[in-house]
Amino acid sequence: MEKAFKNLIKSEFPDLGNARLLLAVSGGVDSVVLAHLCKKAKLDFSIAHCNFNLREDESEADEEFVMELGDALEVEVFSESFDTVKYAEEAGISIQMAARDLRYDWFEELRSTLKYDIILTAHHANDDLETFVINLVRGSGLEGFTGIKAQKNKIIRPFLKFSRREIESYARENHISWREDSSNASSKYMRNRIRHQVIPVLEELNPQLLQSFTLTQEHLQESFDLLEDYVGLLYSEIVSKTEYGYSLDIGILKKVPNTKAVLYHLLKTFGFSEWNDVHDLLIAQPGKMVFSPTHRLIRDREYLLLTEKPSETDDRIYEISEGEEIIMLPPGTFSIEEVKEIGETGPNLLYVEKQKLEYPLVLRKWQEGDHFYPFGMKGKKKISDFFKDKKLSLPEKENTWLLCSADRIVWVVNHRADGRFAVDDPSKEILKITYSL
Amino acid sequence: MEKAFKNLIKSEFPDLGNARLLLAVSGGVDSVVLAHLCKKAKLDFSIAHCNFNLREDESEADEEFVMELGDALEVEVFSESFDTVKYAEEAGISIQMAARDLRYDWFEELRSTLKYDIILTAHHANDDLETFVINLVRGSGLEGFTGIKAQKNKIIRPFLKFSRREIESYARENHISWREDSSNASSKYMRNRIRHQVIPVLEELNPQLLQSFTLTQEHLQESFDLLEDYVGLLYSEIVSKTEYGYSLDIGILKKVPNTKAVLYHLLKTFGFSEWNDVHDLLIAQPGKMVFSPTHRLIRDREYLLLTEKPSETDDRIYEISEGEEIIMLPPGTFSIEEVKEIGETGPNLLYVEKQKLEYPLVLRKWQEGDHFYPFGMKGKKKISDFFKDKKLSLPEKENTWLLCSADRIVWVVNHRADGRFAVDDPSKEILKITYSL
């Protein structure tokens, strides 16, 4: 195995020879053998050990063992103690997940602080095979069957093509001692039952199981990569960034094959679960919505609009007092200035006769029943009809502010002025109001 | 289960109610229960039973049992006997594969001959799960993990969401008898060992295993469908049909991500196995080739050219005697006619002075050292240089015929005439020769 390891380093990870490496060492046979082999390959490395405090005295003894290993190999050892149980409880995750998060976060912190180039872990082919079967038991999509990557970000896993058996044989032949994790021996955990009761049967059925499994993983990884490429291509054709989130082109969605699966892959990170309802939006009336815990998908005319879930109805109200010139509010910034005459015009600025206003001005969102007297039009108009005529989408309506004088609307901000406050007499005080996000 | 089955038919396979069905019934619990449930659901069906003659007396007893089942349910039974062992030996395939081929071929023959609409089989969720694990053991790509389809061509598998346990419970509760396959009880076959030694452990780890597995299969099937869509899209952009096979656009291949995986998916049906070599063709010199047992991939200038593997060197020779007017040969058809004068011209026709020819004319392929005197040019030219100047691809060179008079080339067919045979004296006998595929 020593020769195979050295060849592997040479052929697949040639950069390791000139890098400063940080080795994740638990004290188990895999990581201890990795440390020995890195020493034999004359790599430049230090050891990082996590004490998760999950097995009391044993955890202490593991730490002690790794310290001694560092002495024997003449390399530096970093060790950190974690209150894994507390972290898991606070984050609401499993102990295993907590340990994983803590471990990788700390490794990366060490690496970047102390200028190591690469983190090495001792994951091997059996780990991958066990994970495959665990994901089969729990249910999974393709990603769960593609296995851990040999190289990702700053982490390299050089043992991924070696089996547990090879690693243990090497340790025995070279009289290398290691710490046996007492939880390994029991069938308490799913991984252990699969390791001891399932994999041995599969290996009897195919003595070359691990080799063929390595190829299987490569195939599935390739398929997954291609799938990601395709989704990326579809994303660029279908999805656009909008002011309030994202829009998905309904016309293209209807044309691509397997639309429901495409929707799943485009939207899977947003927490939706009712994929039939999501799919049905394509043939629903405009205005129809589907919610995830965090997001909302709205059927608009030609697009599905994805926004964050709004926090109930928006009843925020802001007041603007007389004399204020720059008003910075969460939605945007108003500037109000006195001007001598009316200059440039446009929907995003407003001229009013100051005397017609009642202070404080009020800035609020649209409510059912609101109406105004659009400048240049005779009579009044419901805000809802005005929105409809302008073909505003729901997020656009929700994000439109109304500038009011008492209960009268002065300006549908950035859309239309109200005629009642218009400048009739140029000799009166004129205010120019602009709004920008 | 009766209710669940009827609901499933109503919601997922509504057409079955008005169809003539052919039920594949082995005599095992799955297919016997399917027959009973189809009867309860008042479907219009007949039974088809295969006797594979693999278990002597037992096979006979199975057949007898299915006949009696037909009587009891008052439906017609078709039964056919196969020499499965002989078929497998002759086809060089396993007994299991032989049985599967024989079964589906015969079902389809029965169906189309006797005007049945649909074939029903009793595959259930456990079959799928076992197949998944078998493919894990043997090694597989994504397709091997997507499971059997509930509906494909004229076959429907309405039990695919039911478990073996549900089916057996229904049989027991309803006092339905069935034939136990004696090979099922032993752990002789891989499927049986997985059924009896692996799946039970997985079910202990997740009592909802089959439900989550059904979802897993749907996810993987969706991923596979999307992958096929993507490969179809890439195919239409990269692959073109040519006269001698297919061409793949190297420029686009170099631009798409994961080129090696793309090449695999575009070419996997042609038997290649050295995918690194295939990939390396993209950066190889023109002329470099990779072979599969049946095909050949050639690096040309801007394309990879896929052709069938040529049968050694092509040393076919055809002779054309004096006076023959229409000569139909495997490569194409020559027509030779006497004309009064030279008319239209072009590379695909030739005028020669008949007297200059020595009969029989000979039609053969290019050989190293061949040369000719191109019409309109001074001096002689090697055929290999002529091909190079015309930028012919290897398949084009291989498929170019030379029309010869004794050892002199008269015509590089459909490319260029030799000046030595040109019509110098219009009063002499003129032959017009054309060639078409």
Side-chain angles (χ1 to χ4, degrees):
Chain A
M1 189 181 172
E2 187 182 327
K3 203 173 161 191
F5 180 77
K6 284 181 182 168
N7 285 339
L8 183 88
I9 296 291
K10 217 181 279 179
S11 63
E12 303 219 8
F13 311 108
D15 296 343
L16 292 188
N18 308 312
R20 293 189 68 222
L21 308 175
L22 196 61
L23 242 67
V25 176
S26 67
V29 61
D30 319 327
S31 55
V32 171
V33 167
L34 180 59
H36 278 272
L37 286 175
C38 285
K39 186 73 186 178
K40 293 238 178 184
K42 299 196 168 60
L43 299 178
D44 172 12
F45 69 100
S46 302
I47 284 175
H49 173 76
C50 298
N51 180 347
F52 294 112
N53 291 297
L54 293 171
R55 287 168 296 114
E56 301 175 2
D57 289 354
E58 273 189 61
S59 296
E60 302 303 322
D62 287 349
E63 189 169 357
E64 188 57 33
F65 174 86
V66 174
M67 290 294 180
E68 285 165 14
L69 177 67
D71 288 346
L73 297 178
E74 298 179 313
V75 299
E76 198 172 0
V77 176
F78 304 98
S79 185
E80 180 79 20
S81 179
F82 300 97
D83 192 342
T84 315
V85 174
K86 190 175 162 209
Y87 179 87
E89 277 170 9
E90 285 174 3
I93 55 179
S94 70
I95 300 278
Q96 277 93 338
M97 281 180 66
R100 195 188 55 185
D101 289 356
L102 289 168
R103 178 166 50 215
Y104 282 113
D105 287 352
W106 179 61
F107 288 160
E108 178 52 28
E109 190 192 320
L110 259 189
R111 190 198 64 74
S112 61
T113 313
L114 301 178
K115 310 287 180 216
Y116 286 93
D117 301 304
I118 296 286
I119 297 161
L120 294 190
T121 77
H123 283 97
H124 51 63
N126 287 77
D127 289 326
D128 244 12
L129 178 55
E130 287 157 17
T131 303
F132 187 104
V133 178
I134 287 171
N135 285 329
L136 168 62
V137 169
R138 291 187 176 148
S140 170
L142 178 55
E143 192 166 8
F145 296 114
T146 54
I148 207 160
K149 285 200 167 68
Q151 181 151 21
K152 194 181 180 185
N153 303 328
K154 297 288 180 181
I155 301 170
I156 287 182
R157 301 180 171 95
F159 271 8
L160 223 44
K161 287 187 177 170
F162 294 100
S163 67
R164 175 174 293 119
R165 194 172 293 141
E166 287 174 282
I167 294 166
E168 289 190 1
S169 300
Y170 180 82
R172 288 210 183 80
E173 284 162 17
N174 292 274
H175 311 291
I176 293 170
S177 58
W178 70 87
R179 296 276 304 165
E180 201 68 65
D181 182 342
S182 68
S183 65
N184 270 344
S186 78
S187 276
K188 196 173 159 194
Y189 293 107
M190 187 181 288
R191 184 174 290 274
N192 283 308
R193 287 205 58 185
I194 288 166
R195 182 178 305 170
H196 297 298
Q197 296 180 4
V198 175
I199 307 292
V201 181
L202 305 185
E203 283 188 314
E204 275 180 52
L205 292 170
N206 177 6
Q208 306 299 313
L209 180 67
L210 279 172
Q211 285 92 316
S212 73
F213 178 68
T214 303
L215 287 175
T216 293
Q217 290 289 69
E218 281 176 20
H219 283 137
L220 294 179
Q221 184 63 55
E222 276 190 356
S223 292
F224 183 72
D225 290 343
L226 289 183
L227 185 62
E228 297 255 284
D229 293 340
Y230 184 45
V231 172
L233 191 71
L234 292 171
Y235 188 96
S236 66
E237 284 179 8
I238 292 172
V239 181
S240 309
K241 189 91 192 70
T242 69
E243 201 174 338
Y244 310 112
Y246 298 91
S247 70
L248 287 75
D249 189 307
I250 292 173
I252 303 178
L253 274 168
K254 283 184 171 172
K255 255 182 271 169
V256 296
N258 295 304
T259 304
K260 196 172 144 195
V262 171
L263 278 167
Y264 168 78
H265 282 278
L266 292 177
L267 296 172
K268 66 182 172 184
T269 51
F270 297 104
F272 292 95
S273 56
E274 300 305 314
W275 294 103
N276 285 326
D277 293 351
V278 167
H279 189 209
D280 287 346
L281 281 185
L282 292 179
I283 49 165
Q285 293 294 318
K288 180 107 183 164
M289 291 183 266
V290 175
F291 290 88
S292 83
T294 55
H295 284 74
R296 176 179 62 163
L297 193 64
I298 309 159
R299 162 83 202 204
D300 198 49
R301 287 165 197 79
E302 291 166 24
Y303 297 93
L304 299 183
L305 302 176
L306 178 74
T307 73
E308 287 185 16
K309 202 168 163 179
S311 47
E312 303 301 316
T313 46
D314 187 347
D315 50 8
R316 283 178 293 169
I317 288 184
Y318 301 99
E319 295 192 346
I320 300 173
S321 308
E322 189 170 355
E324 283 191 86
E325 290 184 347
I326 299 289
I327 308 103
M328 291 178 67
L329 299 172
T333 300
F334 279 87
S335 86
I336 301 180
E337 53 175 327
E338 275 191 39
V339 292
K340 294 285 174 211
E341 55 190 12
I342 293 176
E344 40 161 3
T345 59
N348 57 340
L349 49 81
L350 174 77
Y351 297 92
V352 292
E353 268 183 40
K354 189 178 176 188
Q355 276 189 314
K356 294 181 178 175
L357 298 174
E358 284 175 64
Y359 280 95
L361 301 178
V362 167
L363 200 63
R364 64 169 175 81
K365 291 290 173 69
W366 161 72
Q367 292 159 5
E368 198 59 50
D370 273 342
H371 63 267
F372 76 133
Y373 291 78
F375 179 80
M377 230 183 83
K378 271 183 192 160
K380 70 178 180 182
K381 184 168 190 120
K382 278 198 206 158
I383 293 291
S384 58
D385 290 338
F386 173 74
F387 283 166
K388 204 171 172 184
D389 291 350
K390 293 211 61 162
K391 298 193 172 165
L392 295 196
S393 68
L394 183 61
E396 286 168 332
K397 293 179 198 174
E398 288 171 351
N399 284 283
T400 298
W401 290 91
L402 303 178
L403 180 68
C404 303
S405 167
D407 57 356
R408 293 177 303 162
I409 291 166
V410 179
W411 188 25
V412 181
V413 176
N414 282 3
H415 284 292
R416 190 74 170 264
D418 186 295
R420 291 170 291 179
F421 302 90
V423 178
D424 300 320
D425 181 349
S427 68
K428 296 268 173 75
E429 271 182 283
I430 301 174
L431 293 182
K432 176 184 173 186
I433 308 178
T434 56
Y435 174 71
S436 56
L437 280 169
Chain B
M1 188 181 171
E2 187 181 327
K3 204 173 159 188
F5 181 75
K6 284 182 182 168
N7 285 339
L8 182 89
I9 296 291
K10 218 181 278 178
S11 63
E12 303 221 8
F13 309 108
D15 296 344
L16 291 188
N18 308 310
R20 294 189 67 222
L21 308 175
L22 196 61
L23 242 68
V25 177
S26 67
V29 62
D30 319 327
S31 56
V32 171
V33 167
L34 180 59
H36 278 271
L37 285 175
C38 285
K39 186 73 186 177
K40 293 239 178 186
K42 299 195 169 60
L43 300 178
D44 172 12
F45 70 100
S46 302
I47 284 174
H49 174 77
C50 299
N51 181 345
F52 294 112
N53 292 297
L54 293 171
R55 289 168 296 112
E56 299 176 2
D57 288 356
E58 275 189 61
S59 294
E60 302 302 322
D62 288 348
E63 187 168 1
E64 186 57 34
F65 174 86
V66 174
M67 289 295 180
E68 286 165 14
L69 176 69
D71 288 346
L73 297 177
E74 296 178 315
V75 299
E76 198 171 0
V77 176
F78 303 97
S79 185
E80 180 78 19
S81 179
F82 300 97
D83 191 344
T84 315
V85 174
K86 190 176 162 207
Y87 179 87
E89 276 170 10
E90 285 175 3
I93 55 179
S94 71
I95 299 282
Q96 277 93 337
M97 281 181 65
R100 194 188 58 186
D101 289 356
L102 289 167
R103 178 166 51 216
Y104 282 113
D105 286 352
W106 180 61
F107 290 161
E108 178 51 29
E109 187 192 322
L110 259 188
R111 190 198 65 74
S112 61
T113 314
L114 301 176
K115 310 288 178 213
Y116 286 91
D117 300 306
I118 297 284
I119 297 162
L120 294 190
T121 78
H123 283 97
H124 50 65
N126 287 78
D127 289 327
D128 244 12
L129 179 54
E130 288 157 15
T131 303
F132 187 103
V133 179
I134 287 171
N135 285 329
L136 169 61
V137 169
R138 290 186 177 150
S140 171
L142 179 54
E143 192 165 9
F145 296 114
T146 55
I148 206 159
K149 285 200 168 69
Q151 182 152 19
K152 196 181 178 185
N153 303 328
K154 297 288 180 182
I155 301 170
I156 286 182
R157 303 179 170 96
F159 272 7
L160 222 45
K161 286 186 178 170
F162 294 101
S163 68
R164 174 174 293 118
R165 194 174 291 140
E166 286 174 282
I167 294 165
E168 288 191 0
S169 300
Y170 179 83
R172 288 211 183 79
E173 285 160 18
N174 292 275
H175 310 291
I176 293 171
S177 58
W178 70 85
R179 296 276 302 166
E180 201 68 65
D181 183 342
S182 68
S183 65
N184 271 346
S186 78
S187 277
K188 195 175 160 196
Y189 292 108
M190 187 182 288
R191 183 174 289 273
N192 283 308
R193 286 204 61 184
I194 288 166
R195 181 178 304 169
H196 297 298
Q197 297 182 3
V198 175
I199 308 292
V201 180
L202 305 185
E203 282 187 315
E204 275 180 52
L205 292 170
N206 176 7
Q208 307 299 313
L209 179 68
L210 279 172
Q211 284 93 316
S212 72
F213 178 68
T214 304
L215 287 175
T216 293
Q217 292 288 69
E218 283 177 19
H219 283 137
L220 295 180
Q221 183 64 56
E222 276 189 357
S223 292
F224 183 71
D225 290 344
L226 289 183
L227 186 63
E228 296 256 284
D229 293 341
Y230 184 46
V231 172
L233 191 70
L234 291 172
Y235 188 96
S236 67
E237 286 179 7
I238 294 172
V239 182
S240 308
K241 188 91 191 69
T242 68
E243 200 174 338
Y244 311 112
Y246 297 91
S247 71
L248 287 77
D249 188 308
I250 291 173
I252 304 177
L253 275 169
K254 283 184 172 173
K255 256 184 270 170
V256 297
N258 295 305
T259 304
K260 197 174 142 191
V262 170
L263 278 168
Y264 169 77
H265 282 277
L266 292 176
L267 296 172
K268 65 181 172 184
T269 50
F270 297 103
F272 292 96
S273 56
E274 300 305 315
W275 294 103
N276 286 327
D277 292 351
V278 167
H279 189 208
D280 287 345
L281 281 185
L282 292 178
I283 49 166
Q285 292 294 320
K288 180 109 181 161
M289 293 183 262
V290 176
F291 291 88
S292 82
T294 55
H295 284 74
R296 175 180 63 162
L297 193 64
I298 308 158
R299 161 83 203 206
D300 197 47
R301 288 166 196 79
E302 291 165 24
Y303 296 93
L304 298 183
L305 303 176
L306 179 74
T307 71
E308 288 185 15
K309 202 167 162 178
S311 47
E312 302 301 315
T313 45
D314 188 347
D315 51 7
R316 285 177 292 172
I317 289 184
Y318 301 100
E319 294 192 348
I320 299 173
S321 308
E322 188 170 358
E324 284 191 86
E325 290 184 348
I326 299 287
I327 307 103
M328 292 177 69
L329 299 173
T333 300
F334 279 85
S335 86
I336 301 179
E337 54 176 324
E338 273 191 41
V339 292
K340 295 283 174 215
E341 55 190 13
I342 293 174
E344 40 161 3
T345 59
N348 56 340
L349 49 80
L350 175 76
Y351 297 92
V352 291
E353 266 181 44
K354 188 178 175 190
Q355 275 190 313
K356 294 181 178 175
L357 299 175
E358 283 177 63
Y359 281 96
L361 301 178
V362 168
L363 200 63
R364 63 168 175 84
K365 292 292 174 65
W366 160 73
Q367 291 159 4
E368 199 58 51
D370 274 341
H371 62 269
F372 76 133
Y373 292 77
F375 178 81
M377 231 182 83
K378 272 183 192 160
K380 70 179 181 181
K381 187 171 187 111
K382 276 198 206 160
I383 292 291
S384 58
D385 290 337
F386 174 75
F387 283 165
K388 203 171 173 185
D389 290 349
K390 293 211 62 162
K391 296 193 174 164
L392 294 196
S393 70
L394 183 62
E396 286 168 330
K397 293 179 198 174
E398 288 171 350
N399 283 282
T400 296
W401 290 92
L402 303 178
L403 180 68
C404 305
S405 166
D407 57 356
R408 292 177 303 160
I409 292 166
V410 178
W411 189 24
V412 181
V413 176
N414 281 4
H415 284 290
R416 190 74 171 264
D418 187 295
R420 291 171 289 179
F421 303 89
V423 179
D424 300 319
D425 180 351
S427 68
K428 296 266 171 76
E429 271 182 283
I430 301 174
L431 293 182
K432 177 183 174 187
I433 308 178
T434 58
Y435 174 72
S436 57
L437 280 170

